[in-house]
Amino acid sequence: QKEVEQNSGPLSVPEGAIASLNCTYSDRVSQSFFWYRQYSGKSPELIMSIYSNGDKEDGRFTAQLNKASQYVSLLIRDSQPSDSATYLCAVKEEYGNKLVFGAGTILRVKS
Amino acid sequence: DTEVTQTPKHLVMGMTNKKSLKCEQHMGHRAMYWYKQKAKKPPELMFVYSYEKLSINESVPSRFSPECPNSSLLNLHLHALQPEDSALYLCASSPLRGDEQFFGPGTRLTVL
């Protein structure tokens, strides 16, 4: 069974700071990685996809991928209270062609 | 239209009832998924349809029966559920199986 590990948190950061969320995965051949944001009582919302080593930026969000270390991260710059949510890391399992989700990290941004 | 819709938003049913959940997308996606999510847990894959054919059944009990009438619609038929089946049921779609998935708002199911 392929695994995706995340620190459950909660990760608390002050408003305006950078929030750093981390994820490791066990499937060495995985090529596709996703970050979802889920507010309490709502469904997951796709916020970033990354497929190549390095950084990918989209507004205040930066996804970082290091396939050699089997590590993917999400940075949120200028964190806002509205960023408070659970962030789910998902890795595509190449053999089964399906997503494996981490348990999620709870982020709390304090004003 | 760039969203996945699900009906109903909430459903309460008894253990002897038969009900159905509905999911619809008009993005031309050819893969559709059913997930179950319990509180404080990640989504758990139940079924995958690719080009209207069932391609993955994650050993889901037969009291859950999926159906894909066409490329835009996905149903989940429920019969003789147990209280532990109470959860948020999520539908998702992707352009092709394995691509990034987009979730609908979910159906909150309570089994009494």
Side-chain angles (χ1 to χ4, degrees):
Chain A
Q1 173 70 17
K2 303 298 187 284
E3 293 183 347
V4 177
E5 300 282 343
Q6 292 182 259
N7 188 324
S8 62
L11 172 66
S12 291
V13 300
E15 185 175 356
I18 296 175
S20 178
L21 305 160
N22 304 315
C23 171
T24 59
Y25 59 93
S26 64
D27 187 358
R28 288 188 168 276
V29 300
S30 289
Q31 300 293 322
S32 305
F33 307 86
F34 309 96
W35 283 99
Y36 288 85
R37 177 176 64 197
Q38 187 170 25
Y39 293 114
S40 181
K42 302 295 186 183
S43 64
E45 175 192 6
L46 179 67
I47 53 173
M48 290 290 280
S49 307
I50 187 165
Y51 306 96
S52 305
N53 277 330
D55 295 0
K56 178 182 177 183
E57 189 174 316
D58 184 0
R60 295 186 297 113
F61 298 102
T62 299
Q64 300 176 316
L65 175 61
N66 184 325
K67 291 182 183 178
S69 300
Q70 294 175 238
Y71 177 93
V72 58
S73 64
L74 179 71
L75 300 178
I76 307 175
R77 290 182 300 282
D78 188 23
S79 295
Q80 301 296 311
S82 59
D83 294 325
S84 298
T86 297
Y87 289 80
L88 296 162
C89 174
V91 178
K92 179 184 156 186
E93 182 185 279
E94 296 298 321
Y95 178 72
N97 216 8
K98 59 185 181 182
L99 292 186
V100 179
F101 284 88
T105 297
I106 298 170
L107 174 66
R108 292 185 181 148
V109 181
K110 299 185 175 180
S111 56
Chain B
D1 193 346
T2 58
E3 64 174 2
V4 178
T5 60
Q6 289 188 245
T7 54
K9 287 187 170 56
H10 301 276
L11 179 62
V12 179
M13 59 186 292
M15 290 189 286
T16 58
N17 292 158
K18 285 186 182 181
K19 297 285 184 183
S20 296
L21 309 184
K22 179 180 172 181
C23 173
E24 195 163 5
Q25 58 87 15
H26 294 288
M27 295 179 280
H29 290 177
R30 304 314 302 266
M32 297 184 76
Y33 311 78
W34 280 116
Y35 288 86
K36 171 183 177 180
Q37 188 176 27
K38 303 281 272 185
K40 302 189 189 302
K41 297 289 187 182
E44 179 185 338
L45 184 65
M46 299 175 70
F47 302 103
V48 180
Y49 275 83
S50 180
Y51 288 90
E52 294 103 73
K53 293 190 188 316
L54 183 65
S55 57
I56 295 179
N57 176 341
E58 292 286 283
S59 302
V60 179
S62 61
R63 58 185 184 268
F64 296 92
S65 175
E67 178 196 20
C68 190
N70 59 56
S71 60
S72 301
L73 276 175
L74 187 65
N75 297 320
L76 186 63
H77 303 297
L78 314 172
H79 173 55
L81 295 192
Q82 304 297 309
E84 59 264 29
D85 296 321
S86 298
L88 180 66
Y89 286 83
L90 296 162
C91 175
S93 71
S94 64
L96 297 172
R97 186 180 148 194
D99 290 342
E100 54 191 17
Q101 296 179 23
F102 299 89
F103 285 85
T107 293
R108 177 75 59 187
L109 174 68
T110 302
V111 182
L112 301 177

